[in-house]
Amino acid sequence: MNRSWAFLIAPLACCAAVASPPAAPGDPDSRARATEKQLTPQERLTLVHGIMPLPGQPVQVPPDAIVGAGYVASVPRLGIPALKETDASLGVAWIMGLRKDGATALPSGLALAATWNPTLAQEGGAMIAREALAKGFNVLLAGGANLAREPRNGRNFEYLGEDPWLAGTIDGASVQGIQSQHVLSTIKHFALNDQETGRHFANVVIDETAARESDLLAFEIAIERGQPGSIMCSYNRVNGPYACDNSHLLNDVLKDEWKYKGFVMSDWGAVPGLDAALHGLDQQSGAQLDAKTWFDAPLGEAVAKDSTYAARLGEMSRRILRSIFEIGLDAYPPKAQPIDFATNAKVAEEEARQAIVLLRNEHGTLPLDASPKRIAVIGGYADSGVMSGGGSSQVQGEGGPAVAVPLGGDGPFADFIAQQWHRGSPLAAFARRAPKAEVTFRDGRYVSEAVAAARKADLAIVFATQWMTEGFDAADLSLPQGQDELIAAVTAANPRTIVVLETGGPVLMPWLARTAAVLEAWYPGTRGAEAIASVIFGEVNPSGRLPVTFPASLDQLPNPVLPGSDSIEPDFLGNGKPGQTLTIDYSREGADVGYRWYARKQLRPLFPFGFGLSYTT
Ligand code: BGC
């Protein structure tokens, strides 16, 4: 972070109370209709656009805004609260450390999906919502439901795997949990935003039936089950128009066919023009990131001249009001209060324990008993913490990351591209469980040193990480920075080698056959270290099952080369250079995402969807 920003943060008030008259009688529809009639034209416009309330942005940040992803002003005379929005896929977001208050980090979305447990999803959602309320927020930009159609997608860790039923069920449960606390949730990013490369301009081409039976189906199920107050449309184009300007997606599918009653908010900087209002978009978010605040003065001028716009503005306001009333944002305002992090960490830990997938366990290597005298732990900053995913969903506990490794850039957004580890050391968690053993650590930078340590030990535990982030995809599915070579060398030195993977999604494992055991721990969150240790030492019988296929090679993928990776210069957050175009053609696999593709092509993956061992036979 650019340090000169820090002093700007302090003056922004947290958790200002909202004037809240007792909830008015009536169902949310009639209340929304009655309230909308009382709005002045300017108040209607107030409801339909928001800003990103960050210091140093070209907007005036109102005193009651909290540093976070979004803010939509209140209409106090009618008891309509401001919308105070935070990213929250995995916890209340760290927002580049601009607010110093930490939050409980749940394991990644893929980890949650690997539990196959909607009850945990609901509990996790409710936990995040309570933390959000205590910090002054009433809207969570949570609920990522994009399918893991592209295993190299930088944001798969925020999503829930490759199967529409699994993703939709888990997502719906998370949203239910969030909204049970009277906090409004989104479901995002609608739709087909399945890779980050070129996300701001790529045109996804897919036929209608295929879309309905895959990506859209996940959203349909999640929406039906979760009844989210809002849907966030995505950056990309879908069969031509931008998703936030796409009448077919927003009007025909979402609102007419699925009878969705909430409102559509844009992704941040995803609104191409004023007519998005006619094409189904109800609210422009983070408007300073678009070319214009279309849903303020330009919309006001159109409304004054044209009754079509006027009717739409009325409907846009009613939809927003309806969600506010239905979820009770007016009646249950956020209240600043201390957070019981110890209790919330238990939610994160239980999720991580159920999420870890045992991929290989030769000769009953795991669980470990008390016999090893010397354990060599290697790599992955396992002496300090567990890996987390980057971008807007980044969460950090109080005090910030255990380790942050910047990957370049400067200014505040450089924090977006810093690999970050949550506090909590697996090494220490192992040492506590094996008090008689000598547990050593080598960081893995020098293969020779790691090999020497492994050779001397009864067994080696190698931690391997694949950092993924919003804005960038993985170029391939190898473990970066020489980790494949490190594992190969360590397994050659000591056949009793256990590999613990902390990855954003599937990876290839050229060294697999030489390992004794492999665990996929995903990004395991605040209590990841304890969860990993409790599986390795047999306090927990592993029950996680893969929510995504692990391919045997890139050749098995419908697109062996990531679309755009050979033509687009990667740049910050996938914004792209002016004039760039990209077509992402999903006609090859169509609806056959993930395991359906492998079945159709009769391919044998490295590990199939649903795979996972346990300690029983
Ligand atoms: C992301 C959204 C996020 C928003 C606000 C966008 O770049 O795509 O997921 O909610 O920023 O931070």
Side-chain angles (χ1 to χ4, degrees), residues 444-462:
R445 284 185 307 135
Y446 290 95
V447 173
S448 58
E449 188 187 47
V451 161
R455 223 174 248 138
K456 274 195 278 179
D458 299 324
L459 65 101
I461 306 180
V462 185

Side-chain angles (χ1 to χ4, degrees), residues 387-390 407 416-420 465-469 480 523:
M387 171 142 269
S388 61
L407 292 179
F416 256 60
I417 40 175
Q419 306 181 54
Q420 297 185 20
T465 58
Q466 177 214 36
W467 182 71
M468 299 283 261
T469 183
Y523 301 148

Side-chain angles (χ1 to χ4, degrees), residues 52 68-70 85-89 93 95 140-142 155 158-159 186 188-189 193 196 199-200 232-235 265-269 285-286 289 391-393 416 470-471 573:
M52 194 170 199
E85 305 167 336
T86 176
D87 278 300
S89 297
I95 188 103
L140 296 191
L141 310 175
R155 294 188 88 172
E158 292 184 57
Y159 305 145
T186 49
K188 67 188 187 184
H189 309 84
N193 182 184
E196 292 296 278
R199 69 172 177 171
H200 283 271
M232 186 192 295
C233 49
S234 56
Y235 287 123
M265 63 163 71
S266 70
D267 201 340
W268 272 233
S285 315
L289 301 181
S392 58
S393 70
F416 256 60
E470 176 178 346
L573 289 184

Side-chain angles (χ1 to χ4, degrees), residues 136-162:
F137 294 106
N138 57 5
V139 176
L140 296 191
L141 310 175
N146 298 94
L147 288 187
R149 179 185 277 274
E150 169 50 70
R152 289 157 295 198
N153 179 11
R155 294 188 88 172
N156 279 340
F157 74 89
E158 292 184 57
Y159 305 145
L160 300 156
E162 66 193 24

Side-chain angles (χ1 to χ4, degrees), residues 510-550:
W511 33 260
L512 181 67
R514 303 185 73 152
T515 59
V518 179
L519 287 177
E520 175 55 88
W522 315 104
Y523 301 148
T526 294
R527 297 282 292 174
E530 286 302 316
I532 291 168
S534 58
V535 169
I536 288 188
F537 283 87
E539 294 151 28
V540 170
N541 183 25
S543 64
R545 302 289 180 263
L546 294 180
V548 65
T549 307
F550 278 47

Side-chain angles (χ1 to χ4, degrees), residues 484-567:
D484 283 323
E485 291 74 15
L486 174 71
I487 298 171
V490 171
T491 52
N494 189 335
R496 284 195 79 199
T497 294
I498 299 156
V499 177
V500 178
L501 295 167
E502 292 173 0
T503 68
V507 287
L508 304 177
M509 302 179 204
W511 33 260
L512 181 67
R514 303 185 73 152
T515 59
V518 179
L519 287 177
E520 175 55 88
W522 315 104
Y523 301 148
T526 294
R527 297 282 292 174
E530 286 302 316
I532 291 168
S534 58
V535 169
I536 288 188
F537 283 87
E539 294 151 28
V540 170
N541 183 25
S543 64
R545 302 289 180 263
L546 294 180
V548 65
T549 307
F550 278 47
S553 70
L554 291 179
D555 294 346
Q556 292 187 329
L557 303 179
N559 284 307
V561 176
L562 178 82
S565 59
D566 47 0
S567 59

